[in-house]
Amino acid sequence: MMTPIGVFDSGYGGLTILHQVRQMLPQYDYLYLGDNARAPYGSRSFEVVYEFTRQAVFKLFDRGCRLVILGCNTASAKALRSIQQNDLPRVAPDRRVLGVIRPTAEIIGNLTRSRHVGVLATEGTIRSESYTLEIQKLFPDIQVSGVACPLWAAIVEANEADSPGADYFVEKRIRQLMRKDPLIDAIILGCTHYPLLMSKIVKYVDPGVRIIPQGEYVATSLKDYLLRHPEIEQLCSKNATCHYLTTESPEAFRKSAQLFLHEEVDDVENVSLE
């Protein structure tokens, strides 16, 4: 039986996480689920994000996944803890769900000298203060400032990341963040869409400020997790395959997925989560 590693995102951004994970751990089977029909999650309430994420996680469990990564910052911020503490012990004690915020928080202490860190993310992730809480748990001396970038994900999904119009919105939020704390020397891109805006972001950030996309750190963290949990690792099938599920039409998914993966995606299936 196939037991792929599941990767869930509200839309397409989690494909940037999947891409990095597959680069580092190509031998495993992967099952990606995008809730594209109900995206974006960024401005939705905690209750709605939790319910949608829970539906997606259990869909991936039904398809054989023993381990699921929430490749979505909003879901990691608003739903991960409830799923880990309430749902898994009761319904699926042998399954595991991991998020993308903790791996980035764990590494940030090595990436800032000034101990002032910025976070650019969706409204939901910023409001949850998940980055601040996770980082300060590990590094109480680090000061965290966050700014919501409500239109950035939409710009990426509309394939406008390279357009002149994107500059206005990128510059505006970076200026806002640096006004909040001019001592920031590291900025976390707290949404998986944002790496696709990297060429714009570096234009408006001072040369001494480090930009931190999450994919690499999530991949490293997953590799470490599998080494530390052989009981989970041994259950993950290894045929180097990747299958995609979407709540949108497979044609629309294929077209947009190319923006994030820079390769054609053909193994796509429509699913319902409700």
Side-chain angles (χ1 to χ4, degrees), residues 120 152 155-156 159-175 187 189 193-206 211:
L120 297 168
W152 285 21
I155 289 167
V156 170
N159 199 11
E160 294 289 333
D162 295 324
S163 71
D167 284 76
Y168 170 80
F169 296 102
V170 171
E171 182 181 17
K172 180 180 180 180
R173 297 308 174 193
I174 289 170
R175 297 274 178 261
I187 297 175
L189 301 184
H193 285 71
Y194 297 177
L196 276 78
L197 289 164
M198 188 65 88
S199 62
K200 304 283 189 195
I201 292 166
V202 295
K203 239 163 77 173
Y204 299 109
V205 166
D206 293 339
I211 309 297

Side-chain angles (χ1 to χ4, degrees), residues 7-18 32-33 35 39-42 49 53 69-80 98-101 122 125 131 190-193 214 218:
V7 179
F8 165 67
D9 185 43
S10 58
Y12 297 98
L15 293 169
T16 62
I17 299 290
L18 176 67
Y32 181 88
L33 169 54
D35 189 9
Y41 283 12
V49 172
T53 304
I69 299 157
L70 302 184
C72 171
N73 283 272
T74 303
S76 296
K78 292 184 171 183
L80 177 62
L98 307 174
V100 290
I101 293 174
T122 64
T125 300
Y131 274 98
C191 172
T192 50
H193 285 71
Q214 300 169 292
V218 173

Side-chain angles (χ1 to χ4, degrees), residues 86-121:
N86 303 337
D87 295 306
L88 296 188
R90 203 164 37 83
V91 187
D94 59 334
R95 311 289 172 112
R96 296 292 177 268
V97 181
L98 307 174
V100 290
I101 293 174
R102 179 83 186 191
T104 318
E106 285 173 345
I107 203 75
I108 197 67
N110 302 332
L111 303 177
T112 171
R113 288 182 177 175
S114 70
R115 316 309 275 174
H116 290 253
V117 170
V119 180
L120 297 168

Side-chain angles (χ1 to χ4, degrees), residues 28-265:
Y28 296 97
D29 295 314
Y30 295 94
L31 184 60
Y32 181 88
L33 169 54
D35 189 9
N36 309 92
R38 301 190 295 194
Y41 283 12
S43 57
R44 291 186 183 271
S45 69
F46 272 74
E47 294 74 22
V48 169
V49 172
Y50 164 64
E51 186 51 39
F52 285 4
T53 304
R54 187 179 174 283
Q55 289 170 356
V57 165
F58 278 88
K59 175 65 73 174
L60 288 167
F61 286 170
D62 290 345
R63 300 294 287 260
C65 299
R66 297 271 173 169
L67 173 64
V68 172
I69 299 157
L70 302 184
C72 171
N73 283 272
T74 303
S76 296
K78 292 184 171 183
L80 177 62
R81 186 155 296 180
S82 297
I83 288 170
Q84 287 175 333
Q85 293 178 353
N86 303 337
D87 295 306
L88 296 188
R90 203 164 37 83
V91 187
D94 59 334
R95 311 289 172 112
R96 296 292 177 268
V97 181
L98 307 174
V100 290
I101 293 174
R102 179 83 186 191
T104 318
E106 285 173 345
I107 203 75
I108 197 67
N110 302 332
L111 303 177
T112 171
R113 288 182 177 175
S114 70
R115 316 309 275 174
H116 290 253
V117 170
V119 180
L120 297 168
T122 64
E123 187 187 332
T125 300
I126 295 298
R127 253 207 331 263
S128 74
E129 297 193 335
S130 295
Y131 274 98
T132 305
L133 295 168
E134 288 292 341
I135 290 169
Q136 292 188 336
K137 241 187 270 177
L138 300 164
F139 306 103
D141 62 315
I142 292 181
Q143 190 169 318
V144 184
S145 302
V147 162
C149 309
L151 292 173
W152 285 21
I155 289 167
V156 170
E157 294 216 355
N159 199 11
E160 294 289 333
D162 295 324
S163 71
D167 284 76
Y168 170 80
F169 296 102
V170 171
E171 182 181 17
K172 180 180 180 180
R173 297 308 174 193
I174 289 170
R175 297 274 178 261
Q176 187 183 342
L177 181 64
M178 297 311 290
R179 275 198 306 273
K180 260 187 146 178
D181 183 356
L183 296 178
I184 286 170
D185 72 346
I187 297 175
I188 295 168
L189 301 184
C191 172
T192 50
H193 285 71
Y194 297 177
L196 276 78
L197 289 164
M198 188 65 88
S199 62
K200 304 283 189 195
I201 292 166
V202 295
K203 239 163 77 173
Y204 299 109
V205 166
D206 293 339
V209 178
R210 188 165 188 164
I211 309 297
I212 302 159
Q214 300 169 292
E216 177 192 336
Y217 304 110
V218 173
T220 303
S221 180
L222 176 61
K223 184 179 181 181
D224 179 57
Y225 180 87
L226 292 170
L227 284 170
R228 288 185 291 109
H229 295 88
E231 75 284 3
I232 299 285
E233 194 281 334
Q234 284 158 17
L235 295 172
C236 298
S237 53
K238 302 172 185 72
N239 304 292
T241 67
C242 191
H243 184 62
Y244 299 90
L245 308 175
T246 176
T247 54
E248 225 340 323
S249 79
E251 294 72 28
F253 184 90
R254 281 190 200 98
K255 193 174 168 188
S256 293
Q258 275 188 288
L259 299 174
F260 292 84
L261 294 173
H262 308 296
E263 64 182 35
E264 287 201 9
V265 169

